[in-house]
Amino acid sequence: MAGLSLDLIALQLFAGLALGAIYVLFAIGLSLIFGMLTVVNFAHGAFYMVGAYVGVYILMLGGDFWICLIAVPLLVGLFGVAVERVLIRPLYGRGIDYPLLLTFGLSYVMVEFVRIAFGKTGFPFDTPEILQGAVNIGVGYFPLYRLFVIGATATVLLALWLFLEKTSFGLIIRAGARDPQIVRVLGVDVARVWLIVFGIGTAIAGFAGLLAAPLQGVIPEMGGTILAEAFVVTVVGGMGSIGGAVLAGLLVGVVVSMTSLFAPEMAKVSIFALMAVVLIIRPQGFFGRAGLMS
Amino acid sequence: MSWFQFATRHRASIASLVVLVFPLVMPFTALAVNILIYGLYALGFNLVYGYLGLLSFGHAALFGTGAYLCGIAIVHFALPWYAAIALGILGGLLMAALIGVLAIRTRGIYFAMVTMALSQCVYYLFYQAVDWTGGENGLRGINVRVIDIFGIKLNFINPLTRYYVIAAFVIAAFFVLSRILASPFGAVIEAVRENETRAKASGYDATVTRLITFVLSGGFCGLAGALQALHLSIVPIEILHYDTSGVVVMIALLGGMGTFFGPMIGAAAFLLLENLVSVWTVHWQLIVGAVFMICVLFFPAGIWGTLISRGKP
Amino acid sequence: MNKITKPGSISRRRLLTTVSAGAALTVSPFRINLLQAQEATIKIGFPVPLTGPYGTEAQDQVRAGQLAIAQFNDAGGLGGRKAELVVRDDKLNPGEAATRTLELVEKEKVNFVVGSLSAAVQLAINNVTKERGIIFNSISQSDAINEAADFSKFTFHEALNPHLTSGAVGRYAFSKFGKKVAFLTADYAYGHEMVRGFLDVGKAFNIENLGDIRHPLGTSDFSTLLPRIQALKPDILCISNFGRDQQIVLKQATDFGVKKTTQIIAPLLSHASRVAAGPQAFEGVIGGCSFYWGIEDKFASTKAFNDAFRKMYDGKLPTDYGALGYGGVRTVLTAVKNAGSVDTDKVIAAMEALKYDFYKGPQYYRKCDHQSVQSVLVIRSKSKDMKNESDVFDVINTDEPNEANLRTCAELGHKS
């Protein structure tokens, strides 16, 4: 094949990591919410999209990208908290399907709201000036902004790890992920914990949407495809496992990147096939909880 | 006996009567046909979700395979319409067997995820097989003008004739489904859903029961797909997309899961809502999504389920 | 969505027939029929994707279509008979389009259908209309409808197709920017059609095909493909995709610095995409299009169209998609007028004989596949020296209408 060299493969790998970074952020939220609340958030893609649009709105008001980095996760997280409190909480105890179905309907509503408020065609989202251009990373030129995305993701992961490992609240979350019953018995206000976890999960999704905006622009439908792909990541990594989401996210990003090199038409099929294989052989993925029943 | 018991005993007949007068109250016949077809699709889905309690997010694969096999039979092999429909049903059964065998050991949320993933694989496979399926442009040319039944020639282009031909199949499906549910096997399905350990202890193989139910569901969905192909005279690739799986979930919930009339009522409600709201505003997805959420929150038994629980003696 | 129902017309019809019956003792049935016919509106079904990513384009088409209807009615219609546009939303979904078309034909009893934007949708509509003997003038920019398998005598194609546009752009670019050409193509029918057009034209210019890299439809990240392309060091990068895919890839190609060393060409650049993606992404990109308001200096018909559109819609200018809506409806109505009736066979004959210049210069329908033979504009995106907010392109070349630029009838499977 023309032009195939070690340099190209290395460059492709880097591209895969950058792609994977967005998957990781998106999947972490999904995994957290499932691990703690046992809720499959079908509206996660919509939250991702809302994050991007909140960014657009802040820019319209005259703010800059750096303010967005702080404001977007905060605002989206608050919205997520409201959704959990008002729409999802009434459904606990009714069966594992109901929150899934509710978030499924919610995604339709959120997307349409955004269409009404911002129009159907979407917006271009310029890469912030400082981050424009490409740098020589040794094996070739790579866009600076994508390096930033990898870096931002790593920062968020570090912050999340510190939160989970080093704070008492993080301890509760980890305990709750392992055994929700005991945590309740120990007197912890589980409802409040779930509220906050849902907020954190959606905040990270919104942040991912903001990061993705300069890469592909912003349209109301942007949450749809990534949701399907993120399900692959969460399943392969294991629902409820952060480490699994990270590993699987990067893996999926690299797999897509590499199949694009050799057989681009197969890129999409390859990840769904991967998902099916994992589900059949080892349904809990790399690190998920085994035996999750309805 | 109470009206409820009467309705249950004669459910297939009652449903058939409604179907016969239906086109007279619908804004246009093609919509009535769509409701029938989606109702049948939801009926098949309901067998797995409502009666067995398994949420599948991959039923589009069964619906779509039925449609494509029927279409391919007519377009590429010039088979007569009844053979094409039979092939559609067969396609649904086989695809359900294939997906079922792979998915049936997983439970709960994972079952939904596997079925979604597998059905996406089916989508991409059919997409790539352009010579057979037309790929992204869809399969065109499923033009059946005349339905020949033992010498009687029916003009399939005439909207009302087309409706009643399709209705005949749907009515037949009603009776078959009713028989299945009333049979001993129907009781086993319910047993497995209610208390699997107990059912196993009584000697029933839960996994086999699930698989058989899934395959039967495929038969109904395959038939619905085949009828859709004949009605629209095309099979669009979108039929295999997970959106189509999502639509049937919404319809089943809206109508009332685990009930006999629920799926049909859900299909009517959903499609009418979509149709009416579309005329009034382009933002029909907002209304449909909101109605769905309200149902999940306050009327989880769906329209019909809520009605019968209110009216039950 | 506006609709029919003129309840007044029923009573008007009754009044007229009563008066005529009273005026003369013997009234021939022919006379009564003529009067009744005068009142029946000529309905043109118009399914377009009002919901979805092309909603803006579709709305422009509706506006332009309504303009054609208004002009027809203001000029007296067909001996007093007015026309009406029955608009429906096909949601960019072929299944939905088929249902809508069934509704239009069976319930609304439309005389003709004009519309569609996506290739799959136009084929779906065509399948329904040809079975029922209804004329369908497609305004979707795709090749497939001209092929013998889908074609019927009721099928017309006002819009241009990928072969035509890629040919025009290729002819221009391959003579100017170099011979080493790389291709980045969306892996679906439309993408393949576009590449095929480029390669056909490229043969005459002896281009060196460095490779055709395919990407799945709906790709949101080209970062995995662009390094590969840059490694090939092409003079020209030919990107064959559309809509959102095109906006994203142009943006990312700009980020990756592709434009520094390579001229990017695209078979089709749409006004709406250019506006949505912004000036940076499209800067310097050369492509084709069917219509640009800016050619009003060249054609009186364009000026007339622009002025009428501006008058009807508060100073707005029509876009490429809008013009297709106008042309599609106006050709049908003109044929009806020329034929003097709405009888399908007569209108088909009138359309086949039509030589027209409605908005962009001379056009006519080729006999074998009813493809409208028309000019193609080669345009370059710009962001400076803009006369007004709609002035986003410079027309740098025009391919005049020429049947030779289309795929031959034989190639499409038509027997002569």
Side-chain angles (χ1 to χ4, degrees), chain A residues 87 91 101-107 109, chain B residues 253 287-299:
Chain A
L87 295 173
L91 297 172
L101 292 171
L102 181 102
T103 51
F104 183 67
L106 180 64
S107 66
V109 171
Chain B
L253 193 95
I287 312 282
V288 170
V291 168
F292 183 67
M293 288 206 304
I294 291 174
C295 271
V296 174
L297 282 166
F298 304 115
F299 303 108

mmCIF file of all heavy atoms in Angstrom, chain A residues 87 91 101-107 109, chain B residues 253 287-299:
data_model
loop_
_atom_site.group_PDB
_atom_site.id
_atom_site.type_symbol
_atom_site.label_atom_id
_atom_site.label_comp_id
_atom_site.label_asym_id
_atom_site.label_seq_id
_atom_site.Cartn_x
_atom_site.Cartn_y
_atom_site.Cartn_z
ATOM 1 N N LEU A 87 -37.004 13.685 37.118
ATOM 2 C CA LEU A 87 -37.499 12.691 36.182
ATOM 3 C C LEU A 87 -37.105 11.259 36.514
ATOM 4 O O LEU A 87 -37.858 10.337 36.285
ATOM 5 C CB LEU A 87 -36.998 13.031 34.764
ATOM 6 C CG LEU A 87 -37.531 14.334 34.177
ATOM 7 C CD1 LEU A 87 -36.839 14.630 32.860
ATOM 8 C CD2 LEU A 87 -39.023 14.258 33.973
ATOM 9 N N LEU A 91 -38.567 6.902 39.369
ATOM 10 C CA LEU A 91 -38.617 5.597 38.730
ATOM 11 C C LEU A 91 -37.826 4.515 39.443
ATOM 12 O O LEU A 91 -37.875 3.354 39.044
ATOM 13 C CB LEU A 91 -38.092 5.722 37.293
ATOM 14 C CG LEU A 91 -38.927 6.622 36.402
ATOM 15 C CD1 LEU A 91 -38.216 6.837 35.084
ATOM 16 C CD2 LEU A 91 -40.280 6.008 36.153
ATOM 17 N N LEU A 101 -35.819 3.819 29.501
ATOM 18 C CA LEU A 101 -36.855 4.288 28.595
ATOM 19 C C LEU A 101 -37.080 5.783 28.751
ATOM 20 O O LEU A 101 -37.252 6.508 27.775
ATOM 21 C CB LEU A 101 -38.165 3.532 28.867
ATOM 22 C CG LEU A 101 -38.128 2.053 28.506
ATOM 23 C CD1 LEU A 101 -39.352 1.342 29.011
ATOM 24 C CD2 LEU A 101 -37.997 1.877 27.001
ATOM 25 N N LEU A 102 -37.061 6.244 29.996
ATOM 26 C CA LEU A 102 -37.280 7.673 30.201
ATOM 27 C C LEU A 102 -36.186 8.492 29.541
ATOM 28 O O LEU A 102 -36.454 9.477 28.858
ATOM 29 C CB LEU A 102 -37.319 8.008 31.693
ATOM 30 C CG LEU A 102 -37.565 9.509 31.821
ATOM 31 C CD1 LEU A 102 -38.996 9.769 32.171
ATOM 32 C CD2 LEU A 102 -36.655 10.173 32.802
ATOM 33 N N THR A 103 -34.940 8.098 29.752
ATOM 34 C CA THR A 103 -33.852 8.874 29.157
ATOM 35 C C THR A 103 -33.912 8.782 27.632
ATOM 36 O O THR A 103 -33.506 9.707 26.931
ATOM 37 C CB THR A 103 -32.482 8.384 29.659
ATOM 38 O OG1 THR A 103 -32.390 6.974 29.508
ATOM 39 C CG2 THR A 103 -32.290 8.750 31.113
ATOM 40 N N PHE A 104 -34.434 7.677 27.130
ATOM 41 C CA PHE A 104 -34.603 7.539 25.695
ATOM 42 C C PHE A 104 -35.544 8.614 25.164
ATOM 43 O O PHE A 104 -35.242 9.305 24.190
ATOM 44 C CB PHE A 104 -35.152 6.139 25.397
ATOM 45 C CG PHE A 104 -35.300 5.830 23.949
ATOM 46 C CD1 PHE A 104 -34.200 5.704 23.137
ATOM 47 C CD2 PHE A 104 -36.549 5.655 23.386
ATOM 48 C CE1 PHE A 104 -34.335 5.415 21.783
ATOM 49 C CE2 PHE A 104 -36.691 5.369 22.043
ATOM 50 C CZ PHE A 104 -35.583 5.247 21.241
ATOM 51 N N GLY A 105 -36.675 8.782 25.813
ATOM 52 C CA GLY A 105 -37.610 9.835 25.406
ATOM 53 C C GLY A 105 -37.022 11.210 25.641
ATOM 54 O O GLY A 105 -37.197 12.127 24.836
ATOM 55 N N LEU A 106 -36.293 11.346 26.738
ATOM 56 C CA LEU A 106 -35.688 12.638 27.076
ATOM 57 C C LEU A 106 -34.740 13.110 25.984
ATOM 58 O O LEU A 106 -34.665 14.300 25.667
ATOM 59 C CB LEU A 106 -34.934 12.533 28.409
ATOM 60 C CG LEU A 106 -34.238 13.797 28.911
ATOM 61 C CD1 LEU A 106 -35.259 14.879 29.216
ATOM 62 C CD2 LEU A 106 -33.421 13.498 30.149
ATOM 63 N N SER A 107 -34.015 12.165 25.393
ATOM 64 C CA SER A 107 -33.057 12.571 24.360
ATOM 65 C C SER A 107 -33.783 13.214 23.181
ATOM 66 O O SER A 107 -33.320 14.211 22.631
ATOM 67 C CB SER A 107 -32.220 11.386 23.903
ATOM 68 O OG SER A 107 -33.023 10.435 23.244
ATOM 69 N N VAL A 109 -36.550 14.859 23.299
ATOM 70 C CA VAL A 109 -37.026 16.184 23.717
ATOM 71 C C VAL A 109 -35.873 17.184 23.752
ATOM 72 O O VAL A 109 -35.993 18.308 23.264
ATOM 73 C CB VAL A 109 -37.698 16.078 25.106
ATOM 74 C CG1 VAL A 109 -37.997 17.450 25.668
ATOM 75 C CG2 VAL A 109 -38.984 15.280 25.013
ATOM 76 N N LEU B 253 -44.611 0.460 24.751
ATOM 77 C CA LEU B 253 -44.849 1.089 26.050
ATOM 78 C C LEU B 253 -46.075 1.972 26.026
ATOM 79 O O LEU B 253 -46.897 1.956 26.929
ATOM 80 C CB LEU B 253 -43.623 1.925 26.450
ATOM 81 C CG LEU B 253 -43.709 2.328 27.902
ATOM 82 C CD1 LEU B 253 -42.959 1.352 28.753
ATOM 83 C CD2 LEU B 253 -43.199 3.724 28.138
ATOM 84 N N ILE B 287 -42.953 16.716 20.860
ATOM 85 C CA ILE B 287 -44.235 16.282 21.411
ATOM 86 C C ILE B 287 -44.208 14.777 21.665
ATOM 87 O O ILE B 287 -44.579 14.311 22.743
ATOM 88 C CB ILE B 287 -45.380 16.613 20.437
ATOM 89 C CG1 ILE B 287 -45.280 18.049 19.946
ATOM 90 C CG2 ILE B 287 -46.713 16.329 21.089
ATOM 91 C CD1 ILE B 287 -45.765 19.070 20.925
ATOM 92 N N VAL B 288 -43.758 14.030 20.664
ATOM 93 C CA VAL B 288 -43.741 12.576 20.807
ATOM 94 C C VAL B 288 -42.842 12.161 21.973
ATOM 95 O O VAL B 288 -43.208 11.319 22.790
ATOM 96 C CB VAL B 288 -43.268 11.919 19.492
ATOM 97 C CG1 VAL B 288 -43.012 10.450 19.691
ATOM 98 C CG2 VAL B 288 -44.305 12.120 18.415
ATOM 99 N N GLY B 289 -41.672 12.780 22.071
ATOM 100 C CA GLY B 289 -40.748 12.462 23.163
ATOM 101 C C GLY B 289 -41.366 12.796 24.511
ATOM 102 O O GLY B 289 -41.264 12.018 25.467
ATOM 103 N N ALA B 290 -42.018 13.960 24.594
ATOM 104 C CA ALA B 290 -42.620 14.375 25.859
ATOM 105 C C ALA B 290 -43.748 13.426 26.255
ATOM 106 O O ALA B 290 -43.851 13.014 27.418
ATOM 107 C CB ALA B 290 -43.140 15.801 25.732
ATOM 108 N N VAL B 291 -44.593 13.073 25.277
ATOM 109 C CA VAL B 291 -45.692 12.143 25.579
ATOM 110 C C VAL B 291 -45.125 10.827 26.089
ATOM 111 O O VAL B 291 -45.622 10.238 27.049
ATOM 112 C CB VAL B 291 -46.551 11.905 24.317
ATOM 113 C CG1 VAL B 291 -47.497 10.741 24.528
ATOM 114 C CG2 VAL B 291 -47.332 13.152 23.960
ATOM 115 N N PHE B 292 -44.069 10.373 25.437
ATOM 116 C CA PHE B 292 -43.449 9.112 25.851
ATOM 117 C C PHE B 292 -42.943 9.193 27.288
ATOM 118 O O PHE B 292 -43.150 8.297 28.097
ATOM 119 C CB PHE B 292 -42.300 8.775 24.892
ATOM 120 C CG PHE B 292 -41.647 7.472 25.184
ATOM 121 C CD1 PHE B 292 -42.327 6.280 25.006
ATOM 122 C CD2 PHE B 292 -40.353 7.425 25.659
ATOM 123 C CE1 PHE B 292 -41.728 5.071 25.283
ATOM 124 C CE2 PHE B 292 -39.750 6.212 25.936
ATOM 125 C CZ PHE B 292 -40.431 5.039 25.749
ATOM 126 N N MET B 293 -42.284 10.304 27.619
ATOM 127 C CA MET B 293 -41.762 10.451 28.981
ATOM 128 C C MET B 293 -42.898 10.459 29.995
ATOM 129 O O MET B 293 -42.801 9.856 31.068
ATOM 130 C CB MET B 293 -40.953 11.747 29.106
ATOM 131 C CG MET B 293 -39.622 11.678 28.398
ATOM 132 S SD MET B 293 -38.375 12.778 29.095
ATOM 133 C CE MET B 293 -39.184 14.321 29.003
ATOM 134 N N ILE B 294 -43.982 11.154 29.655
ATOM 135 C CA ILE B 294 -45.135 11.197 30.563
ATOM 136 C C ILE B 294 -45.664 9.788 30.794
ATOM 137 O O ILE B 294 -46.020 9.415 31.914
ATOM 138 C CB ILE B 294 -46.227 12.112 29.982
ATOM 139 C CG1 ILE B 294 -45.758 13.563 30.017
ATOM 140 C CG2 ILE B 294 -47.529 11.968 30.762
ATOM 141 C CD1 ILE B 294 -46.685 14.531 29.335
ATOM 142 N N CYS B 295 -45.698 8.998 29.726
ATOM 143 C CA CYS B 295 -46.165 7.623 29.874
ATOM 144 C C CYS B 295 -45.266 6.837 30.803
ATOM 145 O O CYS B 295 -45.732 6.121 31.683
ATOM 146 C CB CYS B 295 -46.184 6.915 28.510
ATOM 147 S SG CYS B 295 -47.723 7.126 27.681
ATOM 148 N N VAL B 296 -43.950 6.991 30.611
ATOM 149 C CA VAL B 296 -43.014 6.237 31.445
ATOM 150 C C VAL B 296 -43.189 6.619 32.909
ATOM 151 O O VAL B 296 -43.180 5.777 33.795
ATOM 152 C CB VAL B 296 -41.557 6.499 31.002
ATOM 153 C CG1 VAL B 296 -40.577 5.847 31.957
ATOM 154 C CG2 VAL B 296 -41.334 5.972 29.600
ATOM 155 N N LEU B 297 -43.373 7.918 33.147
ATOM 156 C CA LEU B 297 -43.464 8.392 34.520
ATOM 157 C C LEU B 297 -44.800 8.062 35.171
ATOM 158 O O LEU B 297 -44.858 7.616 36.317
ATOM 159 C CB LEU B 297 -43.252 9.907 34.563
ATOM 160 C CG LEU B 297 -41.804 10.383 34.443
ATOM 161 C CD1 LEU B 297 -41.754 11.868 34.164
ATOM 162 C CD2 LEU B 297 -41.045 10.071 35.721
ATOM 163 N N PHE B 298 -45.887 8.314 34.454
ATOM 164 C CA PHE B 298 -47.200 8.242 35.101
ATOM 165 C C PHE B 298 -48.093 7.122 34.598
ATOM 166 O O PHE B 298 -48.985 6.692 35.310
ATOM 167 C CB PHE B 298 -47.933 9.578 34.913
ATOM 168 C CG PHE B 298 -47.142 10.750 35.425
ATOM 169 C CD1 PHE B 298 -46.686 11.736 34.570
ATOM 170 C CD2 PHE B 298 -46.837 10.853 36.775
ATOM 171 C CE1 PHE B 298 -45.951 12.799 35.041
ATOM 172 C CE2 PHE B 298 -46.092 11.920 37.252
ATOM 173 C CZ PHE B 298 -45.656 12.893 36.383
ATOM 174 N N PHE B 299 -47.869 6.675 33.387
ATOM 175 C CA PHE B 299 -48.744 5.631 32.854
ATOM 176 C C PHE B 299 -47.911 4.476 32.317
ATOM 177 O O PHE B 299 -47.995 4.158 31.143
ATOM 178 C CB PHE B 299 -49.617 6.183 31.724
ATOM 179 C CG PHE B 299 -50.442 7.358 32.122
ATOM 180 C CD1 PHE B 299 -50.120 8.627 31.661
ATOM 181 C CD2 PHE B 299 -51.536 7.208 32.957
ATOM 182 C CE1 PHE B 299 -50.873 9.728 32.031
ATOM 183 C CE2 PHE B 299 -52.295 8.300 33.332
ATOM 184 C CZ PHE B 299 -51.961 9.565 32.866
#
